Amino acid sequence: MVDLLLGLQWGDEGKGKIVDVLTKNYDIIARFQGGPNAGHTLIFDGNKHVLHTIPSGIFHDKAVNIVGNGVVIDPVIFQKEIDNLSAYGIDFSKKLLISRKAHLILPTHRLLDAASETSKGKAKIGSTLKGIGPTYMDKTGRNGLRVGDLELDDWKDKFNALTEKHIKMLDFFDVDIQFDLDELTSEFFDAISSLKKLTFIDSEQYLFDAMKNGKTILAEGAQGSLLDIDFGTYPFVTSSNTTAAGACTGLGVAPNKIGEVFGIFKAYTTRVGSGPFPTELFDEDGATLAEVGHEFGATTGRPRRCGWLDLVALKYAVQVNGVTQLMMMKGDVLSGFKQIKVCTSYTYKGEKIDYFPFNIEPENIQVNYETLDGWDDDLTKMDDQQQLPQNLIKYIEFLEANLEVPIKIVSVGPDRKQTIFR
Ligand code: IMP
């Protein structure tokens, strides 16, 4: 069976930390979608690491890490990640395996991303500009370059033809994007030489055999459910299926082979980039959440928008993913608030609803809150559920009653050790 670990909000829920905590229980960690738009932060032994494409199990001795077919890889960023990790004596040839069917992000995909965003003006998505959208467009448009192509003699011809096409497409946008194609191409070719030293596999077959041999597998999601191309707040989403079904197509795992679905959420809500965010706060409470929670993007450094927990959106994500266990992150950030609000319904077209409607722009909905009492205790030194303050336990039980799924982990700080199991 394959267990899944997914973010239930707009990304940045803390998936990297939890994968790292759970890895000791698994033989294989596999990424199934997204690419270097992700930034998974891991903190242990006083060091902070940010991973973008490499699965978060890479620091453990035993686990094999797989980059699945659903992922898009930028060889240049990938090389930098490998270089950053080299100090840790990791044997990448055995522990990091890459699907031949994963698509490559070309330098011109990044340029197209920038041109598309610039041309959108105020309507821009707030993309990380890593070339994610254009690469998935080439994948579904049946034009993409895949990792497996690098084993064929004519891959440079394919690269050149695609690059040429992209350069023509850039003209369409009528925006001024400066670039030096020769420099970008040479950087890309260098990075490809490094990538080719790694092991390429037919990952669906590898995982099938692994399951047959009783290996335990954890599929690691990137971004969050509300950024899903189908179920997120379209068009302000990413270009892949971030929800549970994406793990099936992004790894080649059959739906009846999915076991536990771990859903990760923050005790409040954040969003980076544009798009609707019903519980967003523009007051002192929002500023406090941003400051105490260090809410800056791990990939872009952009400040994250902050707000109270939105149970309507969270319940929707729990349903779409079939979540079996919840994990609540950053509970410690709520310490010190006298009162904590939770959105339990929207008013949509004059009617109170508790489901996530098609349209959640501020002009279409109002949020309705329930207010709970806060707590003052510093949670960051706690390591047992008995130590948790009563009002936090009430908060957790309130969420469990609404979501109808147990909260099994409460994270009280960024370090591996600051994790309370319930
Ligand atoms: P893209 O996937 O880089 O094109 O970005 C599309 C939208 O998803 C933007 O609003 C980004 O800020 C957001 N996004 C992409 N990846 C992440 C992530 O890993 N965490 C949070 N937001 C993300």
Side-chain angles (χ1 to χ4, degrees):
M1 296 300 262
V2 178
D3 292 340
L4 303 187
L5 184 136
L6 307 158
L8 300 181
Q9 294 157 318
W10 280 287
D12 310 313
E13 295 90 354
K15 296 174 289 291
K17 166 179 166 165
I18 294 296
V19 176
D20 180 56
V21 167
L22 295 180
T23 298
K24 59 181 185 314
N25 306 332
Y26 293 93
D27 300 308
I28 298 170
I29 310 295
R31 270 278 303 266
F32 59 87
Q33 47 69 232
N37 49 349
H40 291 173
T41 306
L42 286 66
I43 300 182
F44 55 89
D45 300 339
N47 293 318
K48 177 174 164 177
H49 309 270
V50 181
L51 297 169
H52 297 288
T53 325
I54 295 176
S56 304
I58 199 72
F59 292 104
H60 288 253
D61 289 342
K62 262 186 25 226
V64 169
N65 290 263
I66 295 181
V67 179
N69 57 278
V71 177
V72 289
I73 300 172
D74 183 331
V76 178
I77 296 178
F78 204 81
Q79 185 183 358
K80 287 192 187 129
E81 272 187 83
I82 298 264
D83 290 348
N84 287 342
L85 295 181
S86 292
Y88 292 86
I90 294 165
D91 181 359
F92 293 106
S93 63
K94 293 211 180 71
K95 283 188 51 181
L96 183 59
L97 311 175
I98 302 173
S99 167
R100 290 196 173 87
K101 294 193 176 78
H103 280 246
L104 292 168
I105 302 176
L106 271 52
T108 42
H109 281 131
R110 287 200 305 266
L111 299 177
L112 284 169
D113 214 358
S116 165
E117 276 286 81
T118 310
S119 72
K120 282 189 168 139
K122 279 201 178 125
K124 71 177 192 310
I125 308 289
S127 166
T128 61
L129 302 179
K130 303 291 177 195
I132 305 296
T135 307
Y136 279 115
M137 279 164 72
D138 269 338
K139 174 178 176 173
T140 51
R142 297 161 294 179
N143 298 309
L145 187 68
R146 298 188 290 175
V147 168
D149 289 326
L150 301 174
E151 295 173 322
L152 308 175
D153 293 335
D154 66 346
W155 77 265
K156 279 194 182 168
D157 298 340
K158 284 188 183 162
F159 170 86
N160 288 331
L162 195 52
T163 298
E164 214 172 289
K165 185 174 152 188
H166 290 162
I167 298 293
K168 285 191 189 130
M169 286 165 72
L170 277 173
D171 283 343
F172 163 82
F173 285 105
D174 197 26
V175 291
D176 186 24
I177 303 283
Q178 300 289 327
F179 60 94
D180 179 337
L181 188 60
D182 289 340
E183 198 179 310
L184 290 173
T185 305
S186 123
E187 186 185 45
F188 183 82
F189 286 173
D190 283 350
I192 291 286
S193 305
S194 302
L195 190 71
K196 284 173 85 170
K197 291 185 191 136
L198 299 175
T199 309
F200 301 162
I201 57 166
D202 298 319
S203 55
E204 61 281 21
Q205 189 62 40
Y206 183 97
L207 290 170
F208 185 78
D209 292 341
M211 276 188 273
K212 228 171 147 185
N213 293 323
K215 300 276 188 215
T216 48
I217 302 166
L218 179 67
E220 173 185 10
Q223 291 83 50
S225 300
L226 302 176
L227 289 170
D228 183 279
I229 184 72
D230 284 285
F231 300 106
T233 46
Y234 192 90
F236 301 100
V237 293
T238 191
S239 297
S240 62
N241 280 116
T242 58
T243 45
C248 296
T249 55
L251 291 172
V253 170
N256 62 352
K257 294 287 184 286
I258 302 297
E260 294 292 329
V261 181
F262 304 119
I264 315 265
F265 70 101
K266 268 184 207 173
Y268 50 99
T269 312
T270 64
R271 172 161 208 175
V272 62
S274 332
F277 177 179
T279 60
E280 182 169 12
L281 292 169
F282 300 96
D283 58 7
E284 221 169 274
D285 286 343
T288 305
L289 289 172
E291 194 190 323
V292 180
H294 306 292
E295 294 296 353
F296 293 91
T299 297
T300 57
R302 291 179 290 175
R304 296 178 187 142
R305 303 153 63 192
C306 296
W308 296 120
L309 189 63
D310 182 343
L311 272 186
V312 180
L314 194 53
K315 192 161 189 156
Y316 170 72
V318 165
Q319 287 168 358
V320 169
N321 290 303
V323 171
T324 60
Q325 296 185 29
L326 286 161
M327 295 167 179
M328 187 174 93
M329 311 302 288
K330 290 197 154 179
D332 53 299
V333 176
L334 291 182
S335 293
F337 282 98
K338 291 241 160 331
Q339 295 198 305
I340 296 170
K341 289 186 179 175
V342 180
C343 164
T344 49
S345 67
Y346 298 152
T347 300
Y348 179 63
K349 295 182 181 166
E351 207 184 304
K352 209 167 170 185
I353 59 164
D354 63 0
Y355 64 88
F356 202 67
F358 182 78
N359 230 325
I360 62 156
E361 283 71 31
E363 60 273 26
N364 293 305
I365 62 157
Q366 287 161 347
V367 285
N368 305 312
Y369 288 113
E370 289 202 29
T371 304
L372 284 83
D373 288 331
W375 57 88
D376 276 328
D377 319 52
D378 174 10
L379 311 182
T380 59
K381 307 271 175 335
M382 297 183 182
D383 54 12
D384 190 286
Q385 61 162 328
Q386 309 296 340
Q387 301 163 329
L388 297 177
Q390 267 314 308
N391 283 347
L392 170 57
I393 293 172
K394 280 191 193 154
Y395 186 71
I396 292 170
E397 288 175 350
F398 178 79
L399 304 185
E400 287 181 324
N402 276 274
L403 298 168
E404 299 176 72
V405 180
I407 297 176
K408 293 283 197 177
I409 283 182
V410 178
S411 173
V412 291
D415 198 281
R416 250 183 210 171
K417 293 189 198 121
Q418 294 168 302
T419 310
I420 296 176
F421 293 84
R422 294 178 77 234

